[in-house]
Amino acid sequence: MDLEKIKETTDFIKNLLGDFTPEIGIILGTGLGSLVNDIEVEHTVSYADIPNFPVSTVEFHSGKLFFGKLSGKKVMCMQGRFHYYEGYTMQQVVFPVRVMKLLGIQTLLVSNAAGGLNPDYQLSDLMVINDHISFLMPGNPLIGKNLDELGDRFPDMCDPYDMDLVKKALAIADQQGIKVQAGVYISVPGPQLETRAEYRLLRMLGADAVGMSTVPEIITARQMGMKCFGISVITDMGIPEALEKVDINKILKAAYAAEPKMTQLIRELIRDL
Ligand code: HPA
């Protein structure tokens, strides 16, 4: 990836923001975009108007950046992310995360829609991600010439998800009576959902939920030393013996049902940061 392009985009956004300096980055997943309604918005910009930014092709993602205050903290929020299955390179998928770092953002919060692999989970459950499995994705944003200015060639992945944030989120959920799971997310390229045999394999590999995003962004953010937090909404169940047909409308319906509690949890977590 070209550092000059990342700097150019960062400068464009800095220009737009004036003296507003975001401290927390947020990436909202499929069907989970309404957290932006809680932001006291100071600036917005469409991806299409940002130099070097990929443009979102999934029509239910609006493709916009929001800057403003959420729970008293200055945030930069992406409504709509870039997925590998849309045809972007891994470098394009993580481009906004690189820009976040150059803007001075130290903490990244990410949400996504995911299929449940753990038989104890239920539709519309929340799962705080406590670890991930990356290597079923056919590529990786760190492959290629390393940008040494931004991070290590061989970044450590002991704690991809910040354990203090995980603990805080679980404590908040407990206090507020929000049901929440904690588990391992495994990323796949998509866009097709899994076969029964694939869901069985993913469970055997040790994952609790499967999805088509998040891991590239987290790997990149960790390489640059950002603190990360991820949360999945279980939008369909990948239990081989009880597999039901799913389509995007069912996934969106389950995401919308879980959105208020997810939004509440993220708002409270940000207040606590
Ligand atoms: N598999 C992969 N990605 C997903 C799923 C799934 O079952 N549900 C939502 N995103």
Side-chain angles (χ1 to χ4, degrees):
M1 191 186 300
D2 185 347
L3 187 58
E4 284 315 307
K5 286 215 160 109
I6 305 168
K7 285 183 175 163
E8 186 182 49
T9 306
T10 306
D11 288 343
F12 170 86
I13 293 176
K14 276 189 177 162
N15 231 349
L16 183 85
L17 297 184
D19 59 5
F20 181 91
T21 48
E23 1 164 27
I24 299 167
I26 305 172
I27 304 176
L28 297 175
T30 304
L32 301 168
S34 75
L35 180 73
V36 299
N37 299 332
D38 294 328
I39 300 176
E40 294 162 49
V41 178
E42 298 201 13
H43 305 274
T44 62
V45 57
S46 292
Y47 295 168
D49 296 329
I50 306 174
N52 307 320
F53 236 60
V55 175
S56 187
T57 65
V58 185
E59 68 268 33
F60 42 82
H61 284 160
S62 70
K64 235 180 181 180
L65 279 186
F66 292 77
F67 298 88
K69 280 208 171 154
L70 180 62
S71 306
K73 305 277 162 56
K74 290 182 192 162
V75 302
M76 163 175 172
C77 185
M78 290 178 67
Q79 194 184 41
R81 63 147 60 80
F82 305 105
H83 299 88
Y84 182 74
Y85 65 74
E86 293 175 86
Y88 300 115
T89 64
M90 283 292 184
Q91 273 80 12
Q92 285 178 306
V93 167
V94 303
F95 186 82
V97 181
R98 298 284 195 201
V99 172
M100 282 179 182
K101 173 69 182 181
L102 293 200
L103 285 169
I105 289 174
Q106 294 293 353
T107 306
L108 177 66
L109 312 184
V110 174
S111 69
N112 62 53
L117 301 169
N118 184 326
D120 294 337
Y121 291 5
Q122 288 175 335
L123 214 57
S124 293
D125 271 357
L126 301 180
M127 184 189 88
V128 171
I129 305 175
N130 59 23
D131 209 346
H132 73 215
I133 299 171
S134 73
F135 49 68
L136 289 186
M137 278 281 201
N140 173 323
L142 305 186
I143 288 173
K145 186 174 168 359
N146 191 49
L147 298 176
D148 294 331
E149 300 88 338
L150 296 182
D152 284 353
R153 168 80 290 185
F154 302 108
D156 175 74
M157 285 290 147
C158 261
D159 268 325
Y161 302 86
D162 186 81
M163 278 304 142
D164 286 339
L165 293 180
V166 168
K167 280 187 202 144
K168 265 188 188 155
L170 297 180
I172 290 166
D174 193 40
Q175 277 159 21
Q176 309 243 337
I178 301 171
K179 181 186 175 198
V180 75
Q181 313 281 2
V184 175
Y185 178 92
I186 189 162
S187 59
V188 291
Q192 80 284 5
L193 300 184
E194 286 68 36
T195 64
R196 282 189 177 78
E198 287 166 344
Y199 280 123
R200 190 176 295 117
L201 174 69
L202 296 173
R203 181 65 183 149
M204 281 166 55
L205 291 176
D208 297 291
V210 53
M212 304 172 194
S213 68
T214 298
V215 167
E217 292 105 312
I218 297 293
I219 291 173
T220 305
R222 286 303 301 142
Q223 187 219 17
M224 299 185 297
M226 294 162 82
K227 268 193 200 177
C228 297
F229 176 80
I231 188 161
S232 295
V233 172
I234 304 301
T235 54
D236 52 282
M237 287 302 300
I239 304 299
E241 302 74 31
L243 200 58
E244 290 177 14
K245 272 198 160 59
V246 269
D247 58 33
I248 186 64
N249 292 318
K250 273 195 188 171
I251 287 178
L252 290 175
K253 199 169 156 212
Y256 295 147
E259 204 176 13
K261 56 184 176 177
M262 191 209 71
T263 299
Q264 186 186 351
L265 187 54
I266 293 183
R267 261 194 335 249
E268 295 306 314
L269 184 63
I270 289 178
R271 199 184 309 285
D272 238 27
L273 285 180

